[in-house]
Amino acid sequence: MQFSKEVRDPVHGWIHLTKEEANLIDDSMYIQRLRYVAQLGLVYLTYPTAKYTRFDHSLGVMHLAHRMAEEAVRKMSATELRRAKEGMGIPDDGVDQVLQHVRLAALHHDVGHLPLSHTLEGILSSDSGKACGAGINEGLFGLAKEHEVTGYLITMRNDFQKLIENNVGGINMDTMRRLAFPKLGAGAPLHSIISSSLDADRMDYILRDIYFTGAGTATNAIDVERLVQYVYLDGDELLFDEKAKPFLEGFAIARYNSYKWVYFHHKPLFFTKIARDLLMKIVGSHPYPCLLLKFINGELGNNVELLKITDDYFISLLPELASGNNPIPEAVMLATRKSPYRALWKRDNDYVETMGKLSIWLNQALDKLRDKAGNRLEGIIEHELITKMNCGNDCIKTIIPKFDTSFKALVRGRSGTVTNIWDASPLVRAIDESWQSSPHIFIYVNSNCNCPGESIARNLIDVVKELMEGETISPP
């Protein structure tokens, strides 16, 4: 490929672009909008330098995906490469077209994110969005995460396809979609480089999150050079040579530390909850949620109106919502970063001391209940606690973060046997033991309410026991 542009990146060094890619990025408001969407949502309220964007991340994923694809293709036999090209609908004219499709899919994999990234996800594509009078394709949104479906719908738009045709050309749009959004159809060959247990997406955001927060561990704990060097493709499966085992372990630990110290820090979790509650409160009374729903449905075109689907625009609404005769408390909290709520526990030791010997049972029960109830579990437990405590609706807020401990990177041994790193590494399995001692639920109590923390903890156990009736996990 002929590169003519370079972008300096603090994580990867120089990221190279072709002239056509640079023109596409400049012409596309779908890509430019990502400059104003923070990768980590409201984490910057706790870690002030955590302000990098989905734009930065998308360039990084494109860079890593290219390197991984290049390495995987280099190791393919002539027959394997021909089959991959056939599966991608690409003419047999070298590997540049293969790499170009991977690069464009990686560049666009996050175009469907709402303001503040995951913060507001899943609210308007559920029942809350019905107040806008616009339906959604429930079957489609049931197949993948909301931002993935929205990204898929954007790439189906005529104006998006013209952007690609006018700037790059020779791109099979169906293949690009199947690479970027494999859950929404048959994944194209090489899709696991962009979407799998350890892909270019995850490598980039873990590296970037560590760099910009300074939390948990150093960026050199993840040896990307070695991980890329040991990449293979076996059909649609992304594999790593057994020599990569220590580097996979390093990634698993860095990933866990990022969840522990960044994503599941009690402050970012709380402000994420507040932002979600604010959005739900203004559905039906403010036009902004309905504009967001239009975006979610892929109905906004390649124009400046997309700049309303950004963090800056959402934050600009706070003065209006936080003032006047009926200021919304959540808007006031987000605007001022001040809150009357206090976490019942913040760290592992606080949680174990508060819940005692029931802490591990409670975690296991919550995991099982969440598997059945999904995100509705937070609201169910919150409602039951408020009812039992006879508190007001704004006295207790509940958050149940989800961490997938089963890191599933595949390792190929000398004999060709493929094993899961989870099975091959006691170190990776130990992460599950550590997670079981961490809080799987956070409860925040309004200090203006008469709701003693000790009583809330006791009632939490009672609520979960009632919800677990008939289940096999019994309290000690």
Side-chain angles (χ1 to χ4, degrees):
M1 301 183 72
Q2 293 265 340
F3 296 114
S4 63
K5 301 285 184 179
E6 292 178 324
V7 178
R8 184 65 180 173
D9 182 76
V11 174
H12 302 300
W14 291 106
I15 293 177
H16 302 279
L17 302 171
T18 66
K19 180 181 178 180
E20 293 78 14
E21 290 167 345
N23 290 339
L24 171 64
I25 290 169
D26 286 343
D27 286 351
S28 174
M29 285 303 300
Y30 296 113
I31 294 293
Q32 291 298 318
R33 183 187 73 87
L34 298 181
R35 290 182 185 271
Y36 312 104
V37 178
Q39 173 81 14
L40 289 173
L42 292 165
V43 166
Y44 68 88
L45 294 177
T46 301
Y47 294 97
T49 57
K51 292 281 284 183
Y52 83 91
T53 69
R54 290 278 161 185
F55 180 83
D56 316 343
H57 167 62
S58 296
L59 290 179
V61 176
M62 182 180 69
H63 169 79
L64 278 180
H66 178 118
R67 294 189 58 201
M68 294 170 74
E70 196 171 43
E71 183 69 18
V73 167
R74 184 181 68 80
K75 293 170 182 172
M76 287 180 180
S77 68
T79 300
E80 289 171 331
L81 180 57
R82 186 179 67 254
R83 287 175 180 167
K85 289 179 180 178
E86 289 173 355
M88 297 173 75
I90 293 174
D92 190 13
D93 57 356
V95 300
D96 278 2
Q97 275 292 82
V98 173
L99 297 177
Q100 185 66 84
H101 279 76
V102 170
R103 287 172 64 86
L104 289 178
L107 181 65
H108 290 95
H109 81 286
D110 271 350
V111 292
H113 268 292
L114 287 174
L116 303 173
S117 291
H118 293 287
T119 300
L120 305 177
E121 190 166 23
I123 296 172
L124 297 173
S125 59
S126 62
D127 291 342
S128 298
K130 292 180 180 177
C132 297
I136 63 163
N137 186 329
E138 293 182 5
L140 198 60
F141 279 89
L143 295 175
K145 294 177 181 177
E146 182 183 277
H147 74 272
E148 294 171 336
V149 178
T150 297
Y152 176 85
L153 292 173
I154 287 171
T155 63
M156 293 287 288
R157 291 182 55 87
N158 289 334
D159 61 351
F160 179 89
Q161 296 184 51
K162 286 179 181 177
L163 272 172
I164 301 294
E165 291 168 5
N166 292 342
N167 287 285
V168 183
I171 298 300
N172 184 319
M173 292 300 302
D174 180 61
T175 296
M176 197 193 91
R177 274 190 291 273
R178 290 192 294 128
L179 284 166
F181 312 110
K183 295 176 186 174
L184 294 161
L190 280 75
H191 78 264
S192 55
I193 287 172
I194 300 171
S195 180
S196 62
S197 182
L198 178 51
D199 51 29
D201 180 22
R202 286 164 176 78
M203 278 193 209
D204 183 82
Y205 77 65
I206 294 294
L207 280 168
R208 221 167 272 278
D209 294 350
I210 292 169
Y211 180 90
F212 283 98
T213 62
T217 186
T219 52
N220 59 12
I222 306 174
D223 194 331
V224 170
E225 297 298 323
R226 286 298 208 182
L227 287 173
V228 170
Q229 180 182 343
Y230 294 133
V231 160
Y232 291 85
L233 273 174
D234 183 5
D236 288 340
E237 295 282 7
L238 187 67
L239 307 180
F240 294 86
D241 188 276
E242 63 180 354
K243 295 176 184 177
K245 181 182 173 184
F247 309 109
L248 293 170
E249 290 173 333
F251 177 86
I253 292 169
R255 171 179 176 266
Y256 179 59
N257 283 336
S258 292
Y259 273 86
K260 284 275 291 182
W261 304 118
V262 180
Y263 320 141
F264 293 170
H265 188 290
H266 64 281
K267 281 287 187 181
L269 283 176
F270 173 74
F271 282 111
T272 294
K273 170 78 169 177
I274 293 302
R276 293 177 66 82
D277 287 353
L278 173 61
L279 181 61
M280 285 189 280
K281 279 190 174 183
I282 65 173
V283 170
S285 63
H286 195 282
Y288 192 60
C290 295
L291 180 64
L292 291 181
L293 188 60
K294 285 182 67 177
F295 173 77
I296 290 168
N297 277 329
E299 295 170 9
L300 296 187
N302 184 46
N303 57 61
V304 293
E305 190 175 24
L306 285 172
L307 292 182
K308 294 180 180 179
I309 315 299
T310 58
D311 298 9
D312 292 346
Y313 194 87
F314 177 77
I315 297 299
S316 76
L317 300 176
L318 295 182
E320 169 196 347
L321 300 172
S323 59
N325 294 329
N326 295 298
I328 302 174
E330 287 80 3
V332 175
M333 285 184 266
L334 284 176
T336 63
R337 201 188 171 274
K338 294 180 180 178
S339 162
Y341 290 87
R342 298 293 176 266
L344 283 190
W345 46 78
K346 299 178 181 179
R347 300 170 186 87
D348 296 5
N349 288 345
D350 303 339
Y351 179 62
V352 173
E353 286 176 8
T354 302
M355 305 311 301
K357 64 181 181 180
L358 289 171
S359 59
I360 291 179
W361 170 82
L362 179 59
N363 283 344
Q364 293 172 342
L366 288 168
D367 289 348
K368 193 171 185 68
L369 290 171
R370 180 160 186 160
D371 287 342
K372 297 174 69 173
N375 292 333
R376 294 184 299 110
L377 183 60
E378 284 183 4
I380 292 169
I381 291 180
E382 191 172 294
H383 172 76
E384 292 299 321
L385 283 176
I386 289 170
T387 302
K388 283 183 177 290
M389 295 292 298
N390 196 25
C391 291
N393 287 334
D394 289 324
C395 287
I396 298 173
K397 291 191 180 292
T398 301
I399 299 170
I400 304 175
K402 184 177 182 181
F403 174 64
D404 183 6
T405 56
S406 55
F407 180 51
K408 303 180 180 70
L410 299 176
V411 180
R412 185 169 73 180
R414 288 185 183 180
S415 65
T417 304
V418 175
T419 57
N420 193 312
I421 187 66
W422 179 265
D423 299 319
S425 171
L427 186 57
V428 173
R429 291 197 300 275
I431 291 173
D432 183 55
E433 184 178 346
S434 177
W435 171 237
Q436 288 306 322
S437 299
S438 298
H440 290 202
I441 185 169
F442 287 87
I443 296 177
Y444 303 81
V445 185
N446 192 325
S447 57
N448 297 321
C449 299
N450 183 24
C451 296
E454 299 82 1
S455 298
I456 293 175
R458 287 195 299 271
N459 277 289
L460 173 62
I461 294 297
D462 291 340
V463 167
V464 174
K465 284 180 179 177
E466 291 167 8
L467 293 173
M468 284 293 290
E469 282 185 10
E471 299 291 347
T472 56
I473 302 176
S474 299

